[in-house]
Amino acid sequence: MEQLIQQLKVILGTNFALYFKSHSYHWNIEGSNFPQYHGFLDGLYNEVFAQNDPIAEHIRQLNSYAPTSLARMLELSDITESDSIPDALSMMRNLYSDNERYIVHLRAGIAAADSANEPAVGNFLQDLLGAHQKKAWMLRSIIK
Ligand SMILES: [Fe+2]
């Protein structure tokens, strides 16, 4: 159970970092395809933001506490922060590789839920995995 809780916390921190990076890219992206990129990122950050709440509530359901500081969120995240503004294609490449890292943690979470005999948590993470595999396809198609 401890392993599942820890993995959910890593998933929360990573999700939060992916949310913030995609929102900051939405604000700062430039280029001739601005409307498409801006719109795509709008969909991405909104979807990822909405996932923070159910992930944190699953941590609470397992009788642990959710992080209470942004510093702790970043410590838990496997996605590094960006303090620069790359060109549009580099932004998409960064989001693709961040999303791939996230997928590794979602798979680990599903395995941990299985080991802890928590199928409902596993089901939740499977849906999340499916959503991020779809994002992987879209990002891969953009950067090809
Ligand atoms: Fe906006």
Side-chain angles (χ1 to χ4, degrees):
M1 185 60 75
E2 269 316 304
Q3 200 195 347
L4 174 59
I5 291 167
Q6 185 51 35
Q7 190 58 34
L8 276 172
K9 289 180 180 179
V10 171
I11 286 169
L12 179 60
T14 302
N15 191 82
F16 200 90
L18 182 62
Y19 150 68
F20 188 77
K21 190 180 282 187
S22 51
H23 204 157
S24 74
Y25 284 175
H26 167 80
W27 295 325
N28 292 308
I29 200 158
E30 293 175 320
S32 58
N33 290 324
F34 171 83
Q36 282 170 290
Y37 281 131
H38 189 65
F40 172 77
L41 290 166
D42 185 277
L44 181 64
Y45 85 71
N46 276 297
E47 189 178 319
V48 178
F49 178 77
Q51 291 160 1
N52 288 315
D53 188 61
I55 297 167
E57 290 184 357
H58 274 85
I59 293 169
R60 294 294 296 129
Q61 282 178 40
L62 297 175
N63 207 22
S64 186
Y65 290 100
T68 56
S69 75
L70 291 174
R72 178 65 182 142
M73 281 290 205
L74 266 182
E75 198 177 77
L76 287 164
S77 171
D78 192 34
I79 291 175
T80 51
E81 275 200 291
S82 164
D83 60 356
S84 63
I85 301 176
D87 61 73
L89 200 54
S90 300
M91 285 182 178
M92 297 298 136
R93 287 197 188 102
N94 292 346
L95 291 175
Y96 176 74
S97 68
D98 289 345
N99 192 61
E100 288 295 292
R101 296 181 81 87
Y102 189 26
I103 282 173
V104 168
H105 288 292
L106 290 171
R107 287 183 183 280
I110 291 163
D114 196 39
S115 301
N117 196 24
E118 287 290 348
V121 181
N123 185 52
F124 166 69
L125 293 174
Q126 284 173 22
D127 287 346
L128 214 46
L129 174 65
H132 284 275
Q133 287 177 319
K134 186 170 181 179
K135 294 301 177 200
W137 156 55
M138 292 177 174
L139 289 162
R140 197 167 57 238
S141 299
I142 291 170
I143 63 180
K144 193 169 181 178

